[in-house]
Amino acid sequence: MHPDCEQVLFYEEEIRRRVRELGEQISLDFKGKKLVVIGILKGSLIFLADLIRFITLPVFIDFISVSSYGKSTRSSGTVRILKDLDLNIRGCHVLLVEDIVDTGLTLNYLKDYMERRRPASFKICALLDKPGRRKVNVAVDYYGFSIPDQFVVGYGLDYNEYYRNLSFLMVLRPEVYEGGR
Ligand code: PRP
């Protein structure tokens, strides 16, 4: 157990099982199609790396990075692209991979951004859903887990860039962020 852990939400094995299921489902749904998997940096990094190894189709990989405003100013819904796609996704079957859907503003913006590039199809896969925080409705095609409104880190998710490399998902002890590390 990590010293900053309030509660473990999902252990490594549970995550692996669920990610495997998602990968298998995606493999069925995209069978025979040219699939481009796009990760939103940085939180999706570990999820994406595991997910694509459970996808039994050829996949092309790309990443996009968006500006990270403070959560309060993020509520404007304005997202700025920091690193754009390298691939031309026109005519491709695109799967956008996200670690967590919180307010939904990031995905709402990126969905529109991607669709303007005219892919053949567009779907979203998110590991975690925090429905209690939603500000805009965004249709997510594949979800890993639904979680309560708690501060979750690990498996790619950070607090001030810490904890991304934990292999499990845990709720952070409030003392850590109240202390302002
Ligand atoms: C987090 C997360 C999502 C976004 C979700 O990213 O990875 O991209 O916030 O929030 P929303 O649904 O309210 O838009 P963050 O800006 O913390 O960057 P990171 O992925 O680099 O940690």
Side-chain angles (χ1 to χ4, degrees):
M1 171 87 96
H2 193 283
D4 297 341
C5 177
E6 175 88 358
Q7 179 202 344
V8 173
L9 268 189
F10 302 104
Y11 286 98
E12 190 173 359
E13 266 317 301
E14 281 176 277
I15 299 172
R16 187 176 169 77
R17 262 201 306 277
R18 187 69 189 117
V19 174
R20 180 197 293 270
E21 286 173 1
L22 289 171
E24 288 171 353
Q25 187 61 52
I26 289 163
S27 303
L28 286 175
D29 295 352
F30 285 87
K31 198 168 175 205
K33 293 177 175 163
K34 176 176 171 183
L35 175 59
V36 180
V37 175
I38 299 173
I40 307 172
L41 294 172
K42 304 174 199 170
S44 71
L45 170 75
I46 293 177
F47 175 42
L48 181 142
D50 284 346
L51 181 69
I52 55 173
R53 282 176 288 178
F54 287 122
I55 297 178
T56 53
L57 308 168
V59 294
F60 287 14
I61 314 250
D62 206 349
F63 292 96
I64 193 163
S65 177
V66 298
S67 59
S68 178
Y69 299 110
K71 287 285 174 186
S72 48
T73 48
R74 171 78 73 77
S75 59
S76 63
T78 314
V79 173
R80 200 159 49 91
I81 306 291
L82 299 180
K83 184 230 162 277
D84 207 341
L85 299 175
D86 294 330
L87 300 176
N88 178 1
I89 59 169
R90 189 180 179 127
C92 298
H93 295 276
V94 170
L95 180 70
L96 186 64
V97 175
E98 179 62 296
D99 56 346
I100 184 165
V101 190
D102 193 2
T103 63
L105 292 167
T106 303
L107 277 182
N108 191 50
Y109 177 87
L110 285 179
K111 183 175 193 295
D112 184 56
Y113 186 83
M114 298 288 168
E115 281 175 345
R116 273 186 275 132
R117 274 145 195 79
R118 315 266 296 272
S121 70
F122 176 77
K123 290 197 187 299
I124 297 174
C125 177
L127 178 67
L128 302 174
D129 176 25
K130 220 187 231 185
R133 299 252 312 162
R134 199 74 87 254
K135 287 200 165 97
V136 286
N137 256 332
V138 51
V140 172
D141 304 276
Y142 306 94
Y143 267 122
F145 305 102
S146 183
I147 59 168
D149 186 9
Q150 288 174 304
F151 205 131
V152 177
V153 296
Y155 200 71
L157 286 85
D158 74 312
Y159 168 63
N160 277 354
E161 300 298 328
Y162 287 91
Y163 311 108
R164 290 196 200 272
N165 59 328
L166 297 179
S167 52
F168 55 96
L169 281 154
M170 69 177 197
V171 177
L172 196 57
R173 286 162 69 100
E175 301 92 277
V176 177
Y177 48 88
E178 280 161 7
R181 172 142 94 191

